[in-house]
Amino acid sequence: MDFTPTEEQAAARELAARIFGDLATPERLAAAGAGVDAELWKALCAAGLPAAVEEIGLLGLVLLLEEQGRATAQTPFAASSVYGILAVARHGTAEQRARLLPALRDGSAVATGAFPARADRGDGGIGADGRLTGEVPWAPWLRDATHVLVPDEERALWLIRTADAVVEPVELTAPWSAGRLLLDSAPGERLGGPEAYDDVLALARIAFAGLQAGVCAGSLARAVDHANTREQFGRPLATRQGVQLRAADAYMDTEAIRVTAYEAAWRHDAGLPCSEQALTAAWWASEAGKRVVHAGQHLHGGTGADLDHPVHRHFLWGRQLDAYLGCGAELLQELGDLLAEEITPNGETA
């Protein structure tokens, strides 16, 4: 394995870091509320970062999403890259790619996904004519999306224009401009074959694990800065052993999220099986991510209780990502089932 970024990936990450650093300031984030920062999204698209996703691969996307997570930037970059650009590029027909990708690349179209499919939420109801009926309780960035990728009851993927559905605003823990999707014989176009759902879900888990790595890194950076500058009884908080240990644990957890996301993305780009690695990265993002953002709040002391403090955004994003695409216990069970399937009746690996 070699996680060293290519020149293109490194250049894209540097550009992303500069754009997010310049525009995703606490003041602008507060003004954006739960919606997309239109100026920031326009800057990302003008810089060609969504258009570069296909070229720099999933590992490159993970690097860019780390930078978004550090700033908790209000854009649908992760969702549109996974459920739009990569999903269409990998599973769309030649006609679909030619028709859909240009607008997704330049940001004039935004995609999101109703993932993962859950039997208890009424997904699907697909008729023979390709029309969908059902309800999706929430999907991230749905209020700003032009298209939504929906799995039906058989986990076939359908791309639906949000103009052909009803979208109702929903508020989540994190301000992700989410919405409830109501489908009543909505027209949809099929995307990919039977393998498409599992592939897109793995893409999403790896990509959002990269986003969580950035969220955690940003939270920890703020906590370290606070501990170094805040004094108690004449000494910086950072000199306290308990503070050092808590920060060290958060650092190790953040690195675990990052390295598992890198490994899964690298394997995907190399064309190697990565289902187990995607689940592992998602599990670390859920379990360790939760610990890190709690530590970030705790290390800020009473300041961390201020809902307007920038560190609180990292807490909200971290907790939302903890539950998105499956919480830790669900992911661990799924990983265990997957590993069990690989064991032959004789106890040998398949």
Side-chain angles (χ1 to χ4, degrees), residues 5 29 73 108 115 123 135 163 169 184 201 223 236 263 295 300 304-305 336 339 347 349:
L29 292 171
S108 57
F115 276 64
D123 288 342
E135 176 183 339
D184 185 9
L201 180 58
E263 180 191 8
H300 276 77
L339 294 173
T349 57

Side-chain angles (χ1 to χ4, degrees), residues 265-278:
W266 177 85
R267 289 182 64 89
H268 189 279
D269 288 342
L272 299 172
C274 63
S275 297
E276 296 171 16
Q277 288 75 17

Side-chain angles (χ1 to χ4, degrees), residues 154-171:
E154 303 300 323
R155 297 193 172 183
L157 295 185
W158 299 83
L159 195 63
I160 301 170
R161 295 190 314 140
T162 52
D164 295 325
V166 175
V167 175
E168 298 178 346
V170 171
E171 298 304 325

Side-chain angles (χ1 to χ4, degrees), residues 23 50 52 57 123 125 141 165 176 180 217-218 221 236 256 287 311 332:
L23 295 180
D123 288 342
W141 305 107
W176 283 1
R180 178 181 295 107
E287 291 293 301
V311 77
L332 198 60

Side-chain angles (χ1 to χ4, degrees), residues 56-76:
I56 63 177
L58 185 56
L59 180 55
L61 176 60
V62 166
L63 295 175
L64 300 187
L65 293 179
E66 272 193 83
E67 300 305 326
Q68 180 184 357
R70 289 179 200 276
T72 59
Q74 289 293 110
T75 73

Side-chain angles (χ1 to χ4, degrees), residues 11 17 43 58 76 89 106 126 128 134 168 175 194 224 253 255 262 269 280 305 317:
L58 185 56
D106 67 22
I126 306 302
E168 298 178 346
V224 169
D253 272 337
E255 288 301 296
Y262 283 8
D269 288 342
T280 301
W317 279 60

